[in-house]
Amino acid sequence: MTPFRRFVASAVALFGILGGTLLAGPAAQAEPFASTAVAAAPSCATVRHTVGTVTQTVYVTNHCPHSVSFRVRIALHQDSPCYIVQPGHTRSVKWSRFQAFQGISWNCA
């Protein structure tokens, strides 16, 4: 393989790695949370994800007649503790804007 082709192959591989990282970064976080994790949520619980300048927050509101539990999954960071939300209450979890939100695990308690 010629040095030029080796350079092009390396550049393409590097761009693929960096491009995937950049696409999963802040631009993807700017949109409201719309993942399969919401579909797996109890039908009587709602999830709202907001992204600010420095932090992002997930709000889980329990409209169920029973308690629900959840854990926030955060990329490159330890997942949140397991939170229990009583009926009629909302729990928020906040973390750095630069750590990607990967979804919610339900029924952890």
Side-chain angles (χ1 to χ4, degrees):
M1 183 182 274
T2 67
F4 178 74
R5 285 187 178 197
R6 204 172 345 193
F7 170 77
V8 170
S10 297
V12 168
L14 182 61
F15 179 77
I17 292 169
L18 292 177
T21 302
L22 292 174
L23 289 176
Q29 297 170 358
E31 296 180 14
F33 175 63
S35 174
T36 55
V38 170
S43 61
C44 49
T46 57
V47 176
R48 187 169 58 101
H49 176 226
T50 62
V51 179
T53 305
V54 177
T55 62
Q56 54 187 313
T57 308
V58 165
Y59 300 90
V60 175
T61 303
N62 182 4
H63 304 286
C64 305
H66 53 82
S67 299
V68 297
S69 62
F70 71 95
R71 181 182 316 269
V72 177
R73 299 182 59 232
I74 304 167
L76 304 174
H77 193 270
Q78 183 176 355
D79 294 347
S80 77
C82 181
Y83 293 106
I84 298 173
V85 184
Q86 300 299 322
H89 289 85
T90 299
R91 174 69 188 190
S92 65
V93 179
K94 186 176 290 211
W95 68 98
S96 167
R97 180 191 196 283
F98 304 103
Q99 295 171 314
F101 175 40
Q102 292 187 317
I104 293 182
S105 299
W106 295 95
N107 302 318
C108 56

